[in-house]
Amino acid sequence: MRVEIQAQALQSLDYRDALAKSILFYEGMRSGKLPTSQRIKWRANSGMSDGRTANVNLTGGYYDSGDNVKFGFPMAFTITLLSWSVVEFEAELGRAAELDNARAAIRWGTDYLLSAFVPPSTLWVQVGDPNADHQCWERPEDMDTPRTCYQVNPSKPGSDVAGETAAALAAASIVFAATDSSYSQRLLATSKQIFAFADKYRGSYSDVLGGAVSPFYTSYSGYRDELLWGAGWIFRASSDKRYLDYISQHGDELGGPGSSYNTLSWDNKYAGVDVLLSKVKKTRIYHSLSLTVRAYKSRADDFVCSAMPGRATITPGGLFYHGGSNNLQYVTSNAFLLITYGRYLAQAGQSVSCGGNNGFKPGQLISFAKQQVDYILGSNPRGMSYMVGFGTKFPQRVHHRASSLPSIRTQEEHISCSGGFNWLHSSNPNPNILIGAVIGGPDGSDNFSDNRDDFSQAEPSTYANSGLVGALAYFASTAAGNNLRGS
C-alpha cells in the first residue's frame, strides 16, 4: 500500500538531537532529591519520605509513566535495556557526547535498586498504592496519596521482579566497569545475591502482591524468563561459567528453547534472552555447550521471523503493531533487538533462516529497524513525531501528571488530589514539555487523537525510551542513518 508521508517526514531526521532528547527525558521522570545538574527545571524534589513507613530509605528512582508510583519491575527492565544500549553502543554514544548522560540515567536507577535490597532475601519492589494514586491527578511534588512500600521475601517470593533486578544490576556493572570499578563490583556482587534469592524462593510477585501490582504490571509471562535473563546477564558481566551452566541445565525447565516471541517487554524477556545468548554462544569459551544453549541462535532467528514483515502485523503506514496499550514500547525494544542481532550476525558472517528459502540478511533487520525509528520521529502518514519535543509537530496533551499540571516552580500553591482533574480533562496543551518522551502512539490504522484522557496513546513510559536510546545511538553514528553497517 502506498502511503503519503507528510512534509515533516520528508526532511532529514536529526538522530543525534533525538538521541539527546531521549536521554534527557529520564530527568523528567526522576523521584527523590534532584541534583544541581538537573536540566529539566520545571521538576522539583518529590517522594522525599519514601520508605520511611518501612524504616528503609527508598528515595530516588523513577516514576514509571504518567503516574506517581515507583514500580520496581518496569524500572529494573528500563535499567537493563538502557545498560544494554550502552554496552552495545558505548562508542556511538561517546561520539554523540551523550555517554555521560546515559550513565547518569542508569545510575539514578541503580542507586535506587541497590537501596531496595536488604540481604540476603528482602527486595523492596514498589513504593506507592497504585489504586489510590490512580484516583488522583496531582504533581509528584504535591502527592499525598499513601506511599505504601511492598516487598518480596522468602514467604512472598517474586522471582520475576528479583530476576529482572539482578539482570539490571549485572548489565549496569558492565557500564561502569571502566569508570568506577568499585561501584561496578558492588553492582555485580549484589546482582548475584538477588539472583540467588530469586532462584531459591520461586514464585511470581503479582501472585503474592495481588491488587498492588495487578492489573498495572502483572507478570503474565511468569518468572522463568527473568531467571534465564538474570543468569544470562550475570554471565555476560562476569564470565562466571556457573551461570552459563545454570542456563544449560535449566533452560528446558524455564521455558527455553520453546515457543518464540515477537517482542521484548517489561513482562516477557524471552526474545531478549535469545538475542543475548546468541552472542554468548559465539565466543570461543563456549564450544562445549549443550544443545540447549546452542539452540538460542535458532530461537533468535524465530524472533526475527515473527517480528519482520511477512509474519508481523504492520500498519498501513509501516509501523510494527503488537496491539493493546502503549504500542510504541514494543516498537522501540524490537528496533533495538533487530539492530543488535543484525550486528551480531554480520560479525559472525551469518543470516536469519525462516525455513525453506525464506530468511533475512543482517542489513534487512537494520533497515526495518530504521523504518520503525523514522516512523516514531515523523516519517508516518500524519507527519507527526511521537517523541515529545522533537520536530515541529508532536503530541501536546501528554498523559503525564507533572507535565500536564502547572510547575511548582511557577505555581507553589498546592494542587489537590481531585483538583488536578481539571487539567487532565482540559483540551489545553501541557504547560510543561516532557522533552524526549515517547508516548503510546497511534493505533493499528495509524490514527492518533492527541487526547490526554487516552492513556493508551498519550502516556509515556521509561521503558518505551530505553530501547530507543541504543537504536538512536546507532543511527546517529552511521552517517545520519544512511550507511547501515552490517548489511
Side-chain angles (χ1 to χ4, degrees):
M1 177 180 295
R2 183 183 176 89
V3 177
E4 181 180 354
I5 304 299
Q6 297 186 15
Q8 177 170 303
L10 299 177
Q11 301 172 4
S12 177
L13 295 172
D14 188 341
Y15 297 106
R16 186 166 179 172
D17 181 50
L19 171 63
K21 289 174 176 175
S22 71
I23 298 171
L24 177 61
F25 157 74
Y26 287 98
E27 297 190 19
M29 303 298 288
R30 284 171 168 170
S31 179
K33 182 175 176 59
L34 302 184
T36 56
S37 59
Q38 174 80 8
R39 293 176 292 170
I40 293 186
K41 300 299 185 182
W42 48 265
R43 284 295 320 283
N45 298 342
S46 63
M48 294 301 294
S49 63
D50 283 356
R52 186 174 298 169
T53 59
N55 296 314
V56 61
N57 182 5
L58 295 177
T59 58
Y62 290 108
Y63 304 114
D64 70 303
S65 54
D67 56 38
N68 296 328
V69 180
K70 294 192 296 199
F71 292 98
F73 195 24
M75 190 194 308
F77 173 68
T78 295
I79 300 306
T80 307
L81 204 50
L82 269 179
S83 297
W84 198 358
S85 293
V86 174
V87 169
E88 296 295 338
F89 303 108
E90 181 176 13
E92 290 84 350
L93 284 160
R95 285 193 288 271
E98 289 297 329
L99 182 56
D100 287 344
N101 289 328
R103 287 190 181 124
I106 292 167
R107 190 158 189 157
W108 194 268
T110 53
D111 282 351
Y112 173 83
L113 295 175
L114 286 171
S115 68
F117 180 60
V118 181
S121 53
T122 297
L123 180 65
W124 295 96
V125 299
Q126 187 170 311
V127 179
D129 179 341
N131 296 289
D133 178 88
H134 284 63
Q135 298 302 311
C136 291
W137 194 263
E138 57 186 346
R139 301 176 297 203
E141 294 85 359
D142 284 335
M143 60 182 171
D144 45 21
T145 51
R147 301 302 287 170
T148 311
C149 303
Y150 302 88
Q151 65 170 255
V152 293
N153 54 49
S155 63
K156 294 182 177 180
S159 302
D160 32 28
V161 65
E164 182 61 65
T165 304
L169 297 181
S173 75
I174 305 173
V175 171
F176 294 102
T179 58
D180 192 336
S181 60
S182 62
Y183 187 67
S184 173
Q185 291 168 13
R186 182 186 175 199
L187 290 170
L188 183 57
T190 307
S191 171
K192 291 181 177 182
Q193 288 181 296
I194 296 175
F195 181 81
F197 159 60
D199 186 43
K200 183 176 181 179
Y201 301 101
R202 293 190 182 185
S204 176
Y205 91 124
S206 48
D207 289 342
V208 298
L209 297 185
V213 297
S214 300
F216 310 102
Y217 289 103
T218 303
S219 181
Y220 294 105
S221 70
Y223 60 81
R224 292 171 176 82
D225 51 332
E226 279 82 23
L227 289 177
L228 291 172
W229 183 237
W233 272 112
I234 294 174
F235 179 78
R236 179 79 177 261
S238 67
S239 297
D240 187 335
K241 193 174 181 294
R242 291 175 298 174
Y243 292 92
L244 197 61
D245 291 341
Y246 176 93
I247 294 168
S248 179
Q249 294 164 9
H250 298 284
D252 291 333
E253 168 199 352
L254 296 176
S259 59
S260 62
Y261 300 86
N262 71 347
T263 60
L264 168 66
S265 71
W266 58 262
D267 175 35
N268 194 318
K269 315 299 162 31
Y270 282 116
V273 170
D274 298 339
V275 172
L276 180 68
L277 292 180
S278 73
K279 174 72 170 182
V280 165
K281 169 184 176 296
K282 294 180 179 63
T283 60
R284 63 181 179 81
I285 65 174
Y286 306 109
H287 290 319
S288 62
L289 292 182
S290 70
L291 291 174
T292 299
V293 174
R294 293 206 302 270
Y296 282 98
K297 163 63 170 66
S298 176
R299 278 193 21 148
D301 282 2
D302 288 344
F303 155 71
V304 171
C305 299
S306 299
M308 291 284 285
R311 294 188 193 175
T313 299
I314 308 295
T315 71
L319 182 69
F320 173 86
Y321 191 70
H322 180 70
S325 180
N326 196 347
N327 181 66
L328 290 185
Q329 66 171 301
Y330 307 108
V331 177
T332 56
S333 60
N334 275 19
F336 172 80
L337 282 188
L338 290 173
I339 295 167
T340 300
Y341 191 50
R343 298 210 311 175
Y344 290 175
L345 291 171
Q347 292 165 5
Q350 298 183 11
S351 59
V352 172
S353 173
C354 297
N357 296 321
N358 300 314
F360 298 97
K361 295 181 179 179
Q364 291 176 286
L365 276 62
I366 296 173
S367 293
F368 183 63
K370 182 178 182 295
Q371 177 187 328
Q372 301 307 292
V373 171
D374 288 356
Y375 186 109
I376 292 171
L377 298 182
S379 293
N380 56 63
R382 299 182 64 86
M384 171 175 278
S385 164
Y386 293 106
M387 175 185 283
V388 177
F390 181 83
T392 59
K393 183 181 179 183
F394 54 83
Q396 301 294 315
R397 300 162 189 85
V398 179
H399 184 95
H400 186 270
R401 286 161 173 77
S403 174
S404 67
L405 293 162
S407 170
I408 197 169
R409 305 290 191 188
T410 59
Q411 181 175 321
E412 295 184 5
E413 181 184 358
H414 179 85
I415 298 174
S416 70
C417 166
S418 59
F421 284 105
N422 293 328
W423 280 273
L424 169 63
H425 302 307
S426 168
S427 61
N428 293 330
N430 286 18
N432 311 303
I433 299 178
L434 187 60
I435 295 175
V438 174
I439 59 168
D443 65 17
S445 299
D446 302 296
N447 297 316
F448 178 74
S449 61
D450 198 8
N451 178 1
R452 194 179 296 112
D453 282 296
D454 185 355
F455 66 87
S456 67
Q457 291 196 339
E459 188 169 21
S461 65
T462 57
Y463 40 89
N465 272 57
S466 56
L468 188 61
V469 168
L472 288 170
Y474 176 78
F475 291 127
S477 183
T478 54
N482 294 317
N483 178 23
L484 301 182
R485 295 198 300 264
S487 61

